[in-house]
């Protein structure tokens, strides 16, 4: 069931992304799988609601990635020496 859902998600992404944008998304998936999954769902949502022109180009995907990256909370690392 999960494999079917993943296959259908990939089929939808193949329709709405240009090859360059798909390649960029694959690179993101290699580095940050959790973020890529969130981006994929977001892309499918905005494409289905008609908020972006189809197909989604590499430039548009870059903008969407930057926007989503900005929404994620920045991690602060504090090192306390005792």
């Amino acid at each position: 069931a999960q494999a079917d859902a993943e296959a259908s998600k990939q089929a939808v992404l193949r329709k709405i992304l240009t090859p360059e944008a798909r390649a960029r998304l694959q690179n993101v998936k290699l580095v940050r799988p959790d973020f890529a999954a969130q981006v994929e769902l977001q892309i499918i949502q905005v494409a289905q609601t008609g908020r972006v022109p189809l197909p989604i180009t590499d430039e548009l995907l870059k903008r969407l990635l930057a926007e989503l990256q900005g929404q994620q909370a920045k991690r602060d690392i504090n090192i306390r020496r005792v």
Side-chain angles (χ1 to χ4, degrees), residues 63-82:
R63 285 199 305 249
L64 288 171
L65 286 169
E67 192 175 300
L68 288 172
Q69 183 73 31
Q71 287 177 0
Q72 284 198 336
K74 299 285 184 208
R75 293 186 196 138
D76 286 335
I77 299 173
N78 294 322
I79 299 174
R80 281 191 245 150
R81 309 221 181 219
V82 285

Side-chain angles (χ1 to χ4, degrees), residues 46-64:
V46 296
Q48 286 176 342
T49 57
R51 290 189 285 174
V52 293
L54 295 179
I56 296 175
T57 63
D58 190 39
E59 284 300 315
L60 183 54
L61 181 61
K62 280 187 206 176
R63 285 199 305 249
L64 288 171

Side-chain angles (χ1 to χ4, degrees), residues 7-41:
S8 63
K9 183 167 74 166
Q10 291 303 320
V12 169
L13 288 171
R14 235 181 265 110
K15 289 178 189 171
I16 61 178
L17 293 172
T18 62
E20 296 83 13
R22 254 196 1 255
R24 181 174 299 279
L25 189 57
Q26 287 302 321
N27 290 340
V28 170
K29 189 182 270 189
L30 286 173
V31 178
R32 296 183 56 197
D34 53 333
F35 181 63
Q38 178 188 2
V39 169
E40 287 174 346
L41 293 176

